[in-house]
Amino acid sequence: MKASVVAHKDFTVSKIDDRVYGAFLEHLGRAIYEGIYEPDHPSADKDGMRGDVAKLVKDLNIPVVRYPGGNFVSAYNWEDGIGPRDKRPTRLDLAWHTSESNAVGVHEFADWCATVGTEMMLAVNLGSRGVDEARNFLEYVNHPGGSYWSDLRIRNGRKDPWNVRMWCLGNEMDGPWQVGHKDAAEYGKLAANTARAMRMFDSKLELIVCGSSNSDMASYPDWERIVLEHTYDHVDHISLHMYFANREKNTANYLALNHKLDRYIETVASTILQVKAKRKSKRDVTISFDEWNVWYHSNKQDRAILDGGNGWPHAPGLLEDIYNFEDVLMVGLILNTFIRRSDVVKIACIAQLVNVIAPIMAEKGGPAWAQTIYYPYYFASIFGRGTALNLIVNSPGYDSVHQDNTPYVDVSGVHNEDEGVLSFFLVNRHGTEAIDVSVSLQGFADGQVIDHQVMVHDNLEAVNTARNQTEVAPRKGSGAKAEGGELNVKLPPYSYQMVRVKV
């Protein structure tokens, strides 16, 4: 089986915003406690943060991490997480039916971000709270001093402001499961008022308004239109969320889900343009896809806690999906879609980072390790920086519930002009056929393959564990050649590959 691709130097999509490779941490399950923070762990630093987890995070070169939620933020009092730890209150978290010790708050999270080399993207509570709490939080975090909240920050041990640029105006406010759920008009007015107040403090903030929790919501896509009609002139991005599942154990349909993702992005992009035209605006609003990942493996085991059957435990194991090789292919497809839609998707956050539907798992008192999906995320984050190429792909395909003639070969391409390197990320959706792919490199100088990584496994259900951390891991590929203006590579059945060409 054969497929062909045309990559032309001048046929591009957009410069990729590095923040497309962002991540998310919520006060949920063991993401914070026993995830990034475990004072008694052998690798813990002086602040109680796990060094082994920090190393795995740092290796990903994540530009931004969204915090502290998520559903959690819609009933969160940010003031609970500041000041002396022994005076911080324990609260009941209604979102996940657990208790929150507040041992980690904005100070601890900011210090951790500095350790792993990332920026904070903070969310304000527009569920149970509103404008006042948002502007106070902003003042606490960003004002140099000489005001009530900034002086309180200084007394709490942080002299300089953190100057956080990105702020989320609530979370999933379209969802009836959300504390303080609102309809689109009610939320749009609150978000607009909050944005106006925050811009009175600093007009250069980047503000992110809530879009739909998923594209199956009954209010979608009217939600986006109504919310943007209220907020368009006051925000920079609208957030979208989507999770991917294969409950039916149908691999062909599962691996076509990125077509549903692409339609979701296209619909919201068109809605943005509709509102822009209606408002006669010169501003551009783009998409922050600030929650995405595979999520379904842990659903059944979570029910007892989420239904309240276990009381109010602190940091129980929740949403601890153990990812398999099939999920490697799905995550590769999602990232390819974000690269191809980098014209409008400027921020994206894998949800989440540690233990909770995460590429990294950490055992209490024990090791931390990379889950299977860590690797396609790693390759895209490290090598997917530059300009997205608008590739022309000709591949045989199959019909799925999400797309007729779903191509077996899915590919994205990135040109890093500063380094003179092309990076291609390829997925073969075919379960039994290898596919020979030829990529015509037009407008580029003759090049050579400098890196070729392959992920393949004969068992789609194969996973990594604390005892076998490399069952599913990349290996050096062979046979990829660039000569005569053409790259040729063979894709084994059900495989993910990265090929880099120096040009």
Side-chain angles (χ1 to χ4, degrees):
M1 193 173 287
K2 297 181 183 297
S4 64
V5 180
V6 176
H8 196 290
K9 184 177 181 179
D10 297 329
F11 198 18
T12 62
V13 178
S14 175
K15 173 89 166 58
I16 299 167
D17 192 315
D18 291 349
R19 296 174 300 178
V20 162
Y21 307 116
F24 175 37
L25 274 170
E26 181 174 0
H27 282 251
L28 160 58
R30 298 190 311 120
I32 302 297
Y33 309 107
E34 299 179 20
I36 65 170
Y37 176 75
E38 189 180 336
D40 296 331
H41 193 272
S43 73
D45 64 15
K46 62 180 178 56
D47 298 318
M49 299 300 184
R50 288 184 59 150
D52 54 352
V53 170
K55 172 66 166 58
L56 284 164
V57 172
K58 195 169 185 178
D59 287 349
L60 291 167
N61 192 23
I62 297 168
V64 62
V65 178
R66 178 173 174 250
Y67 173 89
N71 294 353
F72 173 80
V73 80
S74 291
Y76 177 54
N77 301 332
W78 66 268
E79 305 93 331
D80 291 345
I82 62 175
R85 274 205 180 100
D86 60 359
K87 297 191 182 309
R88 297 181 189 178
T90 294
R91 303 283 191 189
L92 299 183
D93 171 28
L94 302 178
W96 302 107
H97 213 277
T98 56
S99 63
E100 170 57 51
S101 68
N102 286 300
V104 172
V106 67
H107 286 259
E108 292 79 16
F109 180 68
D111 290 344
W112 179 83
C113 285
T115 297
V116 301
T118 193
E119 297 292 327
M120 291 191 287
M121 175 179 172
L122 295 178
V124 299
N125 175 358
L126 293 188
S128 65
R129 310 186 89 185
V131 177
D132 261 359
E133 293 82 8
R135 70 184 182 90
N136 294 344
F137 191 20
L138 175 60
E139 181 184 316
Y140 185 91
V141 169
N142 279 11
H143 194 57
S147 70
Y148 176 83
W149 290 108
S150 60
D151 287 348
L152 181 58
R153 181 197 69 242
I154 294 168
R155 290 198 299 275
N156 285 334
R158 172 73 186 195
K159 180 179 184 297
D160 296 326
W162 288 291
N163 293 318
V164 173
R165 311 314 303 166
M166 287 168 281
W167 293 80
C168 302
L169 304 175
N171 173 77
E172 292 187 358
M173 298 311 300
D174 63 327
W177 57 85
Q178 206 72 208
V179 172
H181 160 64
K182 296 166 176 62
D183 64 31
E186 183 184 11
Y187 168 69
K189 291 174 184 176
L190 175 59
N193 284 330
T194 305
R196 275 190 287 264
M198 295 176 79
R199 289 210 186 280
M200 287 176 184
F201 175 86
D202 183 351
S203 63
K204 296 179 181 178
L205 296 175
E206 281 190 70
L207 302 180
I208 301 139
V209 72
C210 292
S212 292
S213 303
N214 60 74
S215 61
D216 295 323
M217 297 295 292
S219 56
Y220 165 81
D222 286 338
W223 174 276
E224 279 77 8
R225 175 185 57 79
I226 296 167
V227 167
L228 284 173
E229 284 175 352
H230 287 284
T231 63
Y232 193 92
D233 294 324
H234 310 293
V235 300
D236 301 281
H237 314 280
I238 186 164
S239 72
L240 301 183
H241 296 171
M242 184 172 178
Y243 292 98
F244 302 79
N246 186 19
R247 295 183 180 87
E248 296 78 21
K249 298 299 180 183
N250 185 318
T251 300
N253 285 336
Y254 178 50
L255 297 183
L257 270 168
N258 70 312
H259 291 292
K260 182 177 180 180
L261 168 64
D262 191 66
R263 287 193 299 273
Y264 189 15
I265 293 169
E266 181 60 29
T267 299
V268 175
S270 299
T271 303
I272 291 170
L273 292 177
Q274 177 194 8
V275 176
K276 179 180 180 178
K278 182 177 180 179
R279 297 189 67 83
K280 310 295 190 291
S281 177
K282 295 181 179 179
R283 300 184 71 257
D284 289 320
V285 171
T286 55
I287 291 172
S288 173
F289 220 108
D290 49 39
E291 285 188 34
W292 68 269
N293 204 349
V294 173
W295 176 18
Y296 74 100
H297 297 286
S298 62
N299 291 163
K300 289 183 180 178
Q301 69 197 44
D302 291 337
R303 283 295 6 135
I305 292 172
L306 297 180
D307 290 342
N310 290 352
W312 299 88
H314 179 259
L318 275 173
L319 280 62
E320 296 198 5
D321 271 36
I322 303 303
Y323 292 114
N324 58 33
F325 174 69
E326 184 181 55
D327 301 324
V328 170
L329 306 178
M330 188 68 250
V331 168
L333 292 163
I334 297 164
L335 289 162
N336 278 356
T337 303
F338 289 151
I339 290 170
R340 290 192 295 260
R341 296 314 313 262
S342 56
D343 57 328
V344 66
V345 178
K346 299 300 181 182
I347 303 170
C349 302
I350 192 169
Q352 294 185 19
L353 194 50
V354 186
N355 286 334
V356 175
I357 47 175
I360 299 168
M361 289 299 295
E363 197 175 82
K364 183 179 181 180
W369 66 97
Q371 289 227 65
T372 64
I373 65 169
Y374 181 95
Y375 299 104
Y377 178 38
Y378 169 84
F379 288 130
S381 178
I382 301 302
F383 302 112
R385 316 276 177 119
T387 299
L389 297 174
N390 196 344
L391 305 176
I392 300 172
V393 181
N394 186 0
S395 168
Y398 66 96
D399 290 343
S400 71
V401 297
H402 304 295
Q403 174 83 22
D404 289 343
N405 198 27
T406 300
Y408 285 117
V409 174
D410 187 278
V411 56
S412 68
V414 179
H415 180 206
N416 188 321
E417 194 167 4
D418 293 338
E419 297 180 4
V421 175
L422 295 172
S423 297
F424 295 98
F425 307 96
L426 307 103
V427 175
N428 181 2
R429 292 183 172 102
H430 205 297
T432 58
E433 295 281 344
I435 302 178
D436 293 311
V437 179
S438 62
V439 183
S440 177
L441 307 176
Q442 299 183 6
F444 297 101
D446 283 343
Q448 61 177 0
V449 174
I450 58 171
D451 194 7
H452 181 199
Q453 300 288 332
V454 178
M455 294 191 71
V456 65
H457 203 285
D458 58 8
N459 179 11
L460 288 175
E461 300 295 325
V463 302
N464 294 339
T465 67
R467 311 299 168 240
N468 187 359
Q469 298 182 15
T470 58
E471 176 64 25
V472 179
R475 59 172 174 78
K476 279 285 187 182
S478 61
K481 292 183 179 179
E483 56 186 6
E486 189 169 276
L487 167 67
N488 287 281
V489 59
K490 181 184 286 290
L491 309 184
Y494 285 152
S495 61
Y496 170 89
Q497 297 199 32
M498 179 189 73
V499 182
R500 303 184 73 226
V501 181
K502 183 74 173 178
V503 291

